[in-house]
Amino acid sequence: MTSKQKVKLPRKSKIVVLSAPSGTGKTTIVNELKKKFDNIAVSISYTTRQPRQGETDGIDYYFIDEEQFKKKIEQGFFAEWARVYDYYYGTSKSFIEENLKKNKVVLLTIDTQGALQIKKKYPKAVLIGILPPSIKEQENRLKKRGETPENIRKRLKASSIERKILMEKYDYRLINRDLEKTIKRIISIIEK
Ligand code: 5GP
């Protein structure tokens, strides 16, 4: 897909939340959506975790410390925030509000705890859950990414809880067997 082929999304699509347990191909999906649509605003979350190799502050996340994060909670800066694994993650409320005003489709890639907070605040938000084809496949992807065995164990455990919430509370659930097909399906959901 080239930038020339970018299309505008219909105005009624507003907030789209993508939740994908670690190792489900989330980053690739978001990059493809950014390439395809020109009126999509992808939120950059704030987190207290350390950057991974290749991650850049202000592009992948805003990396801040715990004290700064807690201050932002007190100031009401976040539309949602959650503790995921051992770190805090949160979405800027003003980012959402400003982009909704500009008629953009706001895309959030956040965990299930955050997604449910967003749905409560913005009931029209569409929640899409991406599931790995199998736990083995997910484990392989995490290994490839260089996660430590301890981290892999933690993430797989958290995923099983996340999976339950995706099944019960999300508007759409997609199994990511084939990345191209998953992306097409997400696009058709967003364009609805
Ligand atoms: P990672 O550390 O692997 O980038 O992300 C860990 C988890 O935190 C993922 O499930 C990711 O979707 C989630 N996450 C990332 N940003 C946010 C956020 O702003 N809010 C919430 N609630 N979860 C987030």
Side-chain angles (χ1 to χ4, degrees):
M1 279 181 260
T2 67
S3 57
K4 275 188 195 144
Q5 291 165 307
K6 279 192 177 186
V7 294
K8 270 217 181 324
L9 285 161
R11 287 186 167 198
K12 68 178 166 122
S13 333
K14 296 273 172 167
I15 299 176
V16 177
V17 176
L18 266 190
S19 294
S22 314
T24 337
K26 180 181 61 189
T27 313
T28 318
I29 294 171
V30 172
N31 287 340
E32 287 303 316
L33 293 175
K34 271 202 267 188
K35 272 195 235 161
K36 173 145 174 86
F37 298 115
D38 69 355
N39 60 333
I40 200 160
V42 181
S43 166
I44 300 169
S45 296
Y46 289 72
T47 185
T48 59
R49 88 151 159 73
Q50 294 295 310
R52 289 192 195 111
Q53 206 173 8
E55 284 183 334
T56 310
D57 185 46
I59 293 180
D60 301 286
Y61 281 104
Y62 294 108
F63 296 98
I64 60 176
D65 64 30
E66 212 166 297
E67 194 183 329
Q68 291 170 310
F69 197 97
K70 287 186 173 157
K71 202 162 186 186
K72 286 190 182 297
I73 297 176
E74 275 167 30
Q75 292 165 340
F77 177 86
F78 295 118
E80 64 73 35
W81 66 270
R83 204 178 156 100
V84 189
Y85 312 116
D86 296 323
Y87 305 104
Y88 289 96
Y89 293 83
T91 304
S92 153
K93 188 159 58 188
S94 62
F95 177 87
I96 295 183
E97 299 292 339
E98 278 162 25
N99 282 292
L100 288 179
K101 264 190 227 146
K102 291 185 203 159
N103 280 317
K104 299 245 182 186
V105 172
V106 177
L107 179 68
L108 312 179
T109 55
I110 60 178
D111 86 322
T112 50
Q113 306 172 66
L116 299 184
Q117 293 172 45
I118 292 291
K119 188 77 171 180
K120 208 167 177 188
K121 263 197 198 131
Y122 306 94
K124 284 189 187 155
V126 179
L127 308 191
I128 307 175
I130 318 281
L131 292 160
S134 70
I135 294 171
K136 192 78 213 149
E137 166 104 21
Q138 187 182 8
E139 193 177 344
N140 286 341
R141 287 192 202 172
L142 289 170
K143 273 187 195 153
K144 253 196 228 157
R145 201 165 81 179
E147 294 284 355
T148 62
E150 171 62 11
N151 261 345
I152 293 178
R153 199 190 54 75
K154 255 192 217 168
R155 278 163 194 262
L156 290 180
K157 189 168 169 228
S159 290
S160 83
I161 301 166
E162 294 223 81
R163 195 173 308 120
K164 192 164 184 289
I165 301 174
L166 293 186
M167 298 310 287
E168 289 171 4
K169 310 258 180 175
Y170 274 51
D171 301 301
Y172 299 92
R173 290 157 293 274
L174 313 177
I175 297 172
N176 185 19
R177 283 202 184 86
D178 174 298
L179 199 56
E180 279 281 304
K181 279 191 192 145
T182 303
I183 292 166
K184 276 198 186 134
R185 178 87 180 97
I186 295 172
I187 290 170
S188 78
I189 293 169
I190 297 178
E191 282 174 333
K192 257 189 197 163

